[in-house]
């Protein structure tokens, strides 16, 4: 891929000379294109997963040249919307996982790897979501590729394969007492470092651990990567991406910051609406297809009861299905949530067993063709999730 350095002409004489020689410059450019020679668009920071590039690298970095754009690859859809909202017209942002494809098990092809190596920046969620990303990050050391891990520095919870078994399993005596008064209230205390500024204290039985202390394997390594489904966490991911881009391209830092502020204002309104809409619901637990909504539940005082574990493709055992059915009947659950991009057969089976209906609770891991045709995005899909939860939790 051919890239050119930005050349600043600081005086009128030089500018005049530059104009006179435009035709010659165009001819030279054509020759360079034929020969395959070229320079990078901007001096890039060393490959890093930190929220910001190193000071020395940032000092050497430059703004995006006029008439040129950054080439940014992102892993899956939420990373696209967050990144594009920051860069605006300063970058071409491309999603690696194709529309309609479930990203948990997606692996890059040789062509995808070549496209990544040609990019200026790779943005990925981290926390084990992209099992392939660490290999690219390791390989990028010493290269021009800038890697940005959006979840870097967040408090990542340890997801369980069947979270409800930890949150709802009691001794026989406790189960009898719980069934007697149907008291499934939960105290949700949320680590202040993961929800700074939210002003809310929620307890959650998942253990908060530093993402950096765990290896990220293909099945998440037991960590829950679905941080983007909590608007408060989403704000932090946006700020992390902004900080890293600003460090690498400081000439555009002001534009990145202004764009981030505008988008974060929308995320803050989304958080306020979730908080208001879910504060006084009749019930606080909901059954969903896989354990994607732990952060959202933790943030707003809810408890998710997942049919499967962290992977949506995971099939529950007969015993696990029986526990879900028992819980649903005991708690008079009227809605079983399923999701886009994967089969709803398990949710349909449970709903039929207990006489409940099914509804979509979207993990927003990618857009369907219908979503794209309707111009839906992260914000609109999250509002659909809010409406679905409000209805189900008030029946």
């Amino acid at each position: 891929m051919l890239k050119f350095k930005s050349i600043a002409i600081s005086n009128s004489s030089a500018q005049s000379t530059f104009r006179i020689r435009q035709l010659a410059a165009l001819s030279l450019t054509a020759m360079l294109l034929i020969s395959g020679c070229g320079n990078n668009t901007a001096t890039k920071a060393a490959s890093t997963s930190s929220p910001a590039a190193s000071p020395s690298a940032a000092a050497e970095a430059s703004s995006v040249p006029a008439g040129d754009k950054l080439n940014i690859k992102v892993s899956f859809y939420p990373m696209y919307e967050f990144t594009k909202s920051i860069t605006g017209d300063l970058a071409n942002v491309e999603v690696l996982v194709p529309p309609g494809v479930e990203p948990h098990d997606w692996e890059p092809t040789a062509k995808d790897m070549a496209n990544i190596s040609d990019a200026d920046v790779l943005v990925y969620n981290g926390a084990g979501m992209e099992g392939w990303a660490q290999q690219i990050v390791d390989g990028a050391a010493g290269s021009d590729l800038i890697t940005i891990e959006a979840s870097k520095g967040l408090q990542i919870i340890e997801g369980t394969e069947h979270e409800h078994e930890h949150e709802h399993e009691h001794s026989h005596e406790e189960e009898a007492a719980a069934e007697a008064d149907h008291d499934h209230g939960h105290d949700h205390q949320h680590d202040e470092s993961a929800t700074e500024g939210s002003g809310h204290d929620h307890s959650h039985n998942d253990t908060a651990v530093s993402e950096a202390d765990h290896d990220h394997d293909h099945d998440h390594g037991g960590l829950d990567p679905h941080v983007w489904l909590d608007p408060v966490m989403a704000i932090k991911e946006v700020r992390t991406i902004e900080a890293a881009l600003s460090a690498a391209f400081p000439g555009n830092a002001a534009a990145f910051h202004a764009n981030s502020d505008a988008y974060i204002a929308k995320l803050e309104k989304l958080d306020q609406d979730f908080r208001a809409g879910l504060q006084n619901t009749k019930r606080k637990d909901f059954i969903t297809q896989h354990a994607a909504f732990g952060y959202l539940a933790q943030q707003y005082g809810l408890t998710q009861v997942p049919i499967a574990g962290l992977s949506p493709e995971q099939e529950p055992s007969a015993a696990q299905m029986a526990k879900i059915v028992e819980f649903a009947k005991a708690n008079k659950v009227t809605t079983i949530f399923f999701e886009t991009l994967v089969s709803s057969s398990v949710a349909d089976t449970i709903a039929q067993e207990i006489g409940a209906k099914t509804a979509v609770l979207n993990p927003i891991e990618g857009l369907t063709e219908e979503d794209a045709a309707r111009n839906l995005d992260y914000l609109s899909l999250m509002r659909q999730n809010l409406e679905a939860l409000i209805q189900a939790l008030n029946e």
Side-chain angles (χ1 to χ4, degrees):
M1 184 179 68
L2 183 63
K3 303 177 184 176
F4 295 92
K5 288 184 179 179
S6 174
I7 303 174
I9 300 179
S10 57
N11 56 67
S12 59
S13 175
Q15 290 171 343
S16 175
T17 301
F18 180 80
R19 294 189 190 98
I20 293 172
R21 296 180 178 175
Q22 277 182 320
L23 291 176
L26 289 172
S27 299
L28 177 59
T29 300
M31 293 173 63
L32 289 173
L33 285 169
I34 294 171
S35 65
C37 299
N39 294 317
N40 287 336
T41 300
T43 302
K44 299 180 186 178
S47 176
T48 176
S49 296
S50 301
S54 65
S56 59
E60 295 175 1
S62 66
S63 62
V64 180
D68 203 353
K69 294 184 178 183
L70 290 172
N71 175 12
I72 301 179
K73 298 293 188 288
V74 300
S75 55
F76 65 110
Y77 179 73
M79 299 302 103
Y80 169 84
E81 181 159 333
F82 296 170
T83 303
K84 189 62 178 176
S85 297
I86 296 165
T87 62
D89 293 335
L90 293 172
N92 290 319
V93 182
E94 181 181 350
V95 183
L96 292 169
V97 178
V101 174
E102 215 296 319
H104 284 78
D105 297 323
W106 180 84
E107 292 286 348
T109 64
K111 182 179 179 180
D112 293 322
M113 295 294 284
N115 288 336
I116 293 170
S117 67
D118 284 341
D120 299 303
V121 180
L122 169 67
V123 179
Y124 65 105
N125 181 77
M129 180 66 187
E130 305 93 340
W132 47 267
Q134 192 59 49
Q135 181 180 356
I136 293 175
V137 172
D138 294 341
S143 75
D144 286 340
L145 180 65
I146 298 167
T147 61
I148 302 173
E149 183 177 16
S151 66
K152 186 73 173 181
L154 298 183
Q155 291 295 311
I156 303 301
I157 62 177
E158 287 184 341
T160 60
E161 290 306 295
H162 296 279
E163 184 174 325
H164 65 278
E165 292 180 10
H166 291 266
E167 295 186 351
H168 294 281
E169 277 191 356
H170 309 280
S171 65
H172 293 299
E173 294 79 10
E174 289 173 327
E175 287 180 359
E179 290 177 4
D181 60 11
H182 298 292
D183 180 13
H184 292 272
H186 294 271
D187 181 25
H188 293 266
Q189 182 180 6
H190 188 50
D191 191 318
E192 292 180 358
S193 64
T195 57
E196 58 191 32
S198 68
H200 296 265
D201 187 25
H202 303 291
S203 170
H204 194 273
N205 288 334
D206 287 322
T207 303
V209 294
S210 172
E211 173 273 331
D213 293 335
H214 293 264
D215 291 332
H216 295 167
D217 59 21
H218 190 69
D219 63 357
H220 313 313
L223 300 179
D224 184 349
H226 303 89
V227 292
W228 65 89
L229 291 170
D230 172 359
V232 175
M233 290 291 212
I235 289 171
K236 295 180 179 182
E237 289 204 298
V238 171
R239 286 302 189 201
T240 294
I241 298 168
E242 177 210 335
L245 289 174
S246 295
F249 304 97
N252 295 291
F256 293 154
H257 187 68
N259 291 341
S260 295
D261 282 351
Y263 186 65
I264 284 174
K266 298 176 182 179
L267 291 174
E268 289 173 340
K269 180 62 167 62
L270 181 67
D271 169 50
Q272 293 167 8
D273 291 344
F274 262 85
R275 209 168 295 283
L278 299 175
Q279 185 174 11
N280 296 312
T281 55
K282 293 179 180 178
R283 60 184 310 117
K284 295 298 181 182
D285 37 35
F286 60 96
I287 297 177
T288 188
Q289 188 154 330
H290 91 285
F293 299 91
Y295 294 97
L296 184 149
Q298 178 174 263
Q299 186 66 243
Y300 302 112
L302 306 177
T303 300
Q304 72 166 343
V305 183
I307 298 171
L310 292 171
S311 171
E313 300 294 343
Q314 191 174 21
E315 290 288 338
S317 67
Q320 291 158 350
M321 288 278 284
K323 286 185 178 181
I324 291 290
V325 169
E326 180 183 359
F327 173 86
K329 289 180 177 179
N331 291 275
K332 297 180 173 58
V333 173
T334 60
T335 302
I336 306 296
F337 286 114
F338 69 98
E339 62 192 60
T340 56
L341 303 184
V342 295
S343 171
S344 64
S345 60
V346 174
D348 292 337
T349 298
I350 294 175
Q352 185 175 5
E353 174 71 19
I354 66 173
K357 64 178 180 292
T358 59
V360 172
L361 197 60
N362 196 334
I364 318 181
E365 293 171 346
L367 297 182
T368 65
E369 291 183 1
E370 181 181 356
D371 293 335
R374 295 172 59 194
N375 293 319
L376 298 179
D377 58 12
Y378 170 86
L379 292 168
S380 56
L381 291 171
M382 282 294 287
R383 291 194 176 280
Q384 288 184 2
N385 283 344
L386 174 59
E387 292 172 4
L389 283 169
I390 289 174
Q391 181 175 345
L393 297 178
N394 282 299
E395 292 177 341

